[in-house]
């Protein structure tokens, strides 16, 4: 890949021709075009460079170090992106270019550092897309990096790649073993640990549990609970027994907004200001207990109550996508169970699989 493209020279204006002045920018364009047309940097001599600049009255000095560094950096980007070995001829061409541009060593070193960083990002991304012929160890050796030198870059590349795919995981709310294996393979390619922040770990575990609930074969579990013949327990978890109730709340709109006006909605009782009561339906937690899902029944156990309902007597179950599962009994009554957030979706899936005999 050539980093230089032919640039069109500026036309000299009327006054430039009259006073014999030349646009200095054309000198750098002329040099750029010389490098663009060269078969290799080795084919360009210092005399060629000086001749191209001389046409436009340009000489090397401290004021044009930036232009020279820019030309050098363009080729350095190509070298560090494409080189496959330390003895690659491209490196010799890069050193030759620094020489004919009369670039001070410290500026060449600075440009090399920037080019290496940019190329390292590119080559790490290419590793993940299987477009890079070298492995990460060979790239590190080529760049003169040890494990720590490029670790932060490799992690950035992986997490940028992961974040794009994580959006699909969130939309599907599922994380399959194949997806995990793919990410672990990506980490191995970049020689980084498979690790995430706690919130991502928790989300992935939640989505894995949902995937397992949908796809894994259901196996009965050992449980110290008397069950009927042919009955097996398939899930158990702490829960809360809930009921829907009409409750009265005080309309304290004026207090909340720190505004007040006397009208027919406000009454005084002694020295106390009373607002009208509003009724609304709310899901109330009655008590805490334990939930057991078997192949025949749902069972709720607490210190005060024991409830067992045949799955065949339950029409369906709804999940609020947070933590509440509502089981609709054929007699018209609903059983409301609040589960831990990470378990509610799993219980809903397992119940439907058992009800539909999808073991």
């Amino acid at each position: 890949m050539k980093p230089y493209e032919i640039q069109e020279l500026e036309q000299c204006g009327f006054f430039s021709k009259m006073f014999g002045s030349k646009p200095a920018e054309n000198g750098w364009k002329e040099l750029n075009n010389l490098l663009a047309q060269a078969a290799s940097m080795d084919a360009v001599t210092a005399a060629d460079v000086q001749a191209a600049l001389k046409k436009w009255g340009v000489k090397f000095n401290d004021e044009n170090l930036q232009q020279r560094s820019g030309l050098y950096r363009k080729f350095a980007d190509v070298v560090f992106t494409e080189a496959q070995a330390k003895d690659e001829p491209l490196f010799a061409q890069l050193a030759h270019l620094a020489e004919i541009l009369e670039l001070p060593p410290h500026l060449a070193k600075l440009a090399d550092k920037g080019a290496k960083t940019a190329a390292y990002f590119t080559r790490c991304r290419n590793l993940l897309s299987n477009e890079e012929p070298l492995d990460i160890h060979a790239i590190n050796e080529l760049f003169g990096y040890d494990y720590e030198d490029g670790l932060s870059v490799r992690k950035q590349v992986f997490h940028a790649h992961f974040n794009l795919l994580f959006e699909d995981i969130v939309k599907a709310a599922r994380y399959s073993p194949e997806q995990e294996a793919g990410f672990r393979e990506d980490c191995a390619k970049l020689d980084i640990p498979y690790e995430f922040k706690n919130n991502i770990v928790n989300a992935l575990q939640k989505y894995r549990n949902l995937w397992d609930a949908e796809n894994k074969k259901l196996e009965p579990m050992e449980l110290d609970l008397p069950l009927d013949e042919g009955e097996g327990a398939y899930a158990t978890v702490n829960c809360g027994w809930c009921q829907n109730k009409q409750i009265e709340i005080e309309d304290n709109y004026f207090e909340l907004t720190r505004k007040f006006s006397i009208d027919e909605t406000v009454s005084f009782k002694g020295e106390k200001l009373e607002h009208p009561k509003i009724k609304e339906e709310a899901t109330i937690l009655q008590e805490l207990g334990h939930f057991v899902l078997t192949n025949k029944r749902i069972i709720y156990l607490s210190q005060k109550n024991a409830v067992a309902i045949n799955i065949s007597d339950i029409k369906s179950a709804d999940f609020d996508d947070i933590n509440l599962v509502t089981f609709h009994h054929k007699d018209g009554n609903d059983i409301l169970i609040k589960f831990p957030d990470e378990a509610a979706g799993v219980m809903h899936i397992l119940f439907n699989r058992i009800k539909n005999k999808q073991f």
Side-chain angles (χ1 to χ4, degrees):
M1 180 180 74
K2 281 196 172 184
Y4 309 107
E5 295 181 358
I6 298 295
Q7 298 178 4
E8 186 175 350
L9 302 181
E10 295 181 17
Q11 297 296 322
C12 293
F14 173 76
F15 289 105
S16 295
K17 292 179 180 178
M18 179 180 294
F19 295 106
S21 62
K22 301 176 182 178
E25 186 61 29
N26 275 354
W28 301 109
K29 290 183 177 180
E30 190 84 48
L31 178 54
N32 174 86
N33 294 346
L34 173 67
L35 299 175
Q37 293 169 337
S40 72
M41 295 303 103
D42 292 335
V44 182
T45 67
D48 295 331
V49 171
Q50 296 298 331
L53 295 174
K54 188 176 180 180
K55 289 182 185 178
W56 304 97
V58 178
K59 294 181 180 180
F60 286 157
N61 55 49
D62 290 346
E63 294 180 359
N64 53 46
L65 285 172
Q66 184 176 351
Q67 287 92 330
R68 285 183 274 162
S69 292
L71 289 168
Y72 176 86
R73 171 62 190 272
K74 282 185 177 181
F75 191 65
D77 284 335
V78 171
V79 171
F80 287 103
T81 300
E82 296 186 352
Q84 301 296 307
K86 286 185 175 181
D87 58 356
E88 190 99 9
L90 284 171
F91 287 109
Q93 291 186 47
L94 184 62
H96 176 72
L97 181 61
E99 183 180 341
I100 63 177
L101 290 176
E102 298 181 17
L103 195 64
H106 73 280
L107 290 182
K109 186 175 181 181
L110 186 63
D112 286 346
K113 183 178 179 181
K116 285 168 72 173
T117 301
Y120 199 70
F121 269 106
T122 299
R123 299 186 80 153
C124 285
R125 285 192 289 265
N126 289 345
L127 273 173
L128 296 183
S129 59
N130 297 317
E131 298 175 84
E132 171 59 52
L134 300 182
D135 63 23
I136 192 60
H137 304 293
I139 294 173
N140 284 341
E141 183 179 354
L142 178 66
F143 281 36
Y145 286 174
D146 61 20
Y147 177 81
E148 295 291 337
D149 286 336
L151 181 59
S152 63
V153 171
R154 299 198 301 276
K155 285 185 175 181
Q156 287 180 60
V157 169
F158 171 75
H159 286 290
H161 166 73
F162 170 82
N163 288 340
L164 291 175
L165 298 178
F166 185 63
E167 293 179 6
D168 295 330
I169 293 173
V170 172
K171 288 178 184 177
R174 301 294 185 271
Y175 184 48
S176 69
E178 290 76 18
Q179 287 172 308
E180 179 180 343
F183 287 130
R184 288 187 180 276
E185 183 181 347
D186 291 336
C187 288
K189 286 180 181 179
L190 295 173
D191 195 18
I192 62 172
Y194 174 80
E195 59 184 14
F196 303 96
K197 292 181 179 179
N198 287 339
N199 61 324
I200 300 296
V201 170
N202 294 336
L204 291 177
Q205 186 58 58
K206 176 182 177 180
Y207 299 145
R208 169 56 57 78
N209 291 341
L210 291 170
W211 188 94
D212 288 345
E214 282 184 341
N215 296 278
K216 277 194 170 182
K217 181 180 179 181
L218 300 184
E219 299 285 354
M221 57 193 300
E222 294 291 332
L223 192 64
D224 187 16
L225 183 71
L227 299 174
D228 294 344
E229 185 177 351
E231 185 176 22
Y234 287 85
T236 177
V237 67
N238 292 327
C239 68
W241 183 273
C242 300
Q243 284 188 345
N244 285 332
K245 285 189 174 182
Q246 289 280 341
I247 62 172
E248 283 190 342
I249 60 172
E250 189 176 65
D251 180 9
N252 58 355
Y253 167 78
F254 298 110
E255 292 176 359
L256 291 174
T257 59
R258 299 192 178 187
K259 294 180 181 178
F260 181 74
S261 63
I262 300 296
D263 60 24
E264 65 276 7
T265 68
V266 181
S267 62
F268 288 93
K269 185 176 181 180
E271 296 181 352
K272 182 181 178 183
L273 179 66
E274 288 194 346
H275 295 290
K277 300 292 190 297
I278 298 176
K279 289 186 176 182
E280 66 176 27
E281 188 172 277
T283 301
I284 306 300
L285 179 65
Q286 298 290 101
E287 62 175 7
L288 298 176
H290 208 69
F291 179 85
V292 179
L293 176 63
T294 78
N295 58 327
K296 293 184 177 182
R297 298 179 291 174
I298 62 170
I299 301 172
Y300 170 79
L301 301 171
S302 72
Q303 291 182 344
K304 297 180 180 179
N305 296 297
V307 179
I309 301 170
N310 291 331
I311 289 179
S312 59
D313 291 331
I314 300 174
K315 292 189 299 182
S316 61
D318 293 329
F319 175 42
D320 70 349
D321 289 327
I322 302 175
N323 55 21
L324 186 70
V325 178
T326 303
F327 299 93
H328 302 290
H329 199 285
K330 290 180 179 178
D331 63 9
N333 294 315
D334 289 341
I335 302 95
L336 283 69
I337 305 292
K338 182 168 286 190
F339 296 100
D341 290 355
E342 66 275 9
V346 171
M347 292 299 119
H348 181 242
I349 292 170
L350 292 179
F351 169 80
N352 284 321
R353 284 187 64 182
I354 290 175
K355 181 170 179 60
N356 295 322
K357 303 187 184 305
Q358 296 172 340
F359 291 87

